[in-house]
Amino acid sequence: QLQLQESGPGLVKPSETLSLTCTVSGGSISSSSYYWGWIRQPPGKGLEWIGSIYYSGSTYYNPSLKSRVTISVDTSKNQFSLKLSSVTAADTAVYYCASVNIENWFDPWGQGTLVTVSS
Amino acid sequence: EIVMTQSPATLSVSPGERATLSCRASQSVSSNLAWYQQKPGQAPRLLIYGASTRATGIPARFSGSGSGTEFTLTISSLQSEDFAVYYCQQYNNWPRKALTFGGGTKVEIK
């Protein structure tokens, strides 16, 4: 049974880069059955897909964030990572990682981690 | 981008009653639609994919229907644990089009 866990700083300064890692357990990140994705949720608001990666390294980003997002995968550690550059207060959110079925629904999700952008 | 619109924003229902939630797509997404449930302080949980297929372990009181641009999630007899926020998500024509979520419907106790 797949489990995912986000990790990274909970506080990032404006204009800096947000960096998070998702550790996958209970299965291999190199599985051909899944993509791996990041989704975020500002406090009290809805869900926004950030981007997805395949174990081969192919990446797919939300056009609204594409210029600031980098997602990478480390198969040796069974992890994938998110970098979001030039952050502002609008990037304050709970960030979730998730397994993305090959047809593109999200299941399961990590528990989420709150990242606050503030000086 | 395909815009997903959910209605109503809030639905007040008594335990044991039926709840009907709507999700509309700005263009056809065929049956490429999923529903999620989110409780306070928790991550979303997949309920339905392919517009009408229940995910593993999801009770039969949850059902999904629709295709094209109009979709419905029905909870046949609300249990106390069903009061939550529900989101729809389309995954049509990915990766040519971004994955997008609706704004959510909060199901609250009447």
Side-chain angles (χ1 to χ4, degrees):
Chain A
Q1 177 180 349
L2 278 175
Q3 291 187 306
L4 296 90
Q5 177 69 58
E6 306 88 352
S7 59
L11 181 64
V12 180
K13 290 182 168 55
S15 79
E16 295 190 344
T17 296
L18 177 160
S19 296
L20 295 173
T21 296
C22 182
T23 301
V24 178
S25 59
S28 172
I29 204 167
S30 299
S31 170
S32 60
S33 300
Y34 302 103
Y35 292 87
W36 306 96
W38 289 97
I39 306 100
R40 69 180 183 178
Q41 184 173 37
K45 296 189 178 180
L47 300 162
E48 179 180 36
W49 171 67
I50 299 170
S52 300
I53 190 166
Y54 199 50
Y55 76 94
S56 62
S58 298
T59 51
Y60 309 88
Y61 299 137
N62 188 323
S64 68
L65 297 168
K66 186 174 183 177
S67 63
R68 299 194 292 130
V69 173
T70 302
I71 297 176
S72 59
V73 63
D74 186 336
T75 56
S76 67
K77 294 182 179 179
N78 233 32
Q79 295 176 334
F80 63 105
S81 298
L82 168 70
K83 291 188 186 298
L84 181 65
S85 64
S86 304
V87 297
T88 69
D91 294 309
T92 293
V94 175
Y95 285 76
Y96 296 100
C97 61
S99 168
V100 191
N101 180 276
I102 205 72
E103 294 194 38
N104 285 291
W105 58 81
F106 301 96
D107 181 51
W109 299 55
Q111 67 183 28
T113 188
L114 174 63
V115 179
T116 301
V117 178
S118 174
S119 56
Chain B
E1 173 181 299
I2 299 175
V3 177
M4 307 302 292
T5 302
Q6 291 186 241
S7 61
T10 303
L11 186 61
S12 298
V13 185
S14 299
E17 291 188 340
R18 174 187 294 258
T20 303
L21 290 66
S22 295
C23 175
R24 175 176 292 177
S26 61
Q27 60 187 265
S28 176
V29 298
S30 186
S31 294
N32 296 314
L33 186 107
W35 289 95
Y36 302 86
Q37 176 193 67
Q38 186 178 34
K39 297 179 181 179
Q42 296 185 17
R45 176 177 71 144
L46 177 70
L47 296 176
I48 300 282
Y49 60 89
S52 61
T53 303
R54 278 189 302 278
T56 301
I58 301 303
R61 64 181 180 273
F62 291 92
S63 63
S65 63
S67 66
T69 62
E70 300 283 345
F71 300 88
T72 300
L73 175 69
T74 302
I75 312 170
S76 60
S77 177
L78 272 159
Q79 306 298 302
S80 57
E81 63 266 31
D82 300 335
F83 293 96
V85 180
Y86 293 83
Y87 294 95
C88 61
Q89 176 234 330
Q90 68 79 23
Y91 47 91
N92 195 54
N93 279 334
W94 190 87
R96 288 193 295 135
K97 290 188 182 291
L99 306 175
T100 51
F101 292 88
T105 291
K106 180 180 181 180
V107 177
E108 64 176 25
I109 300 174
K110 186 174 182 179

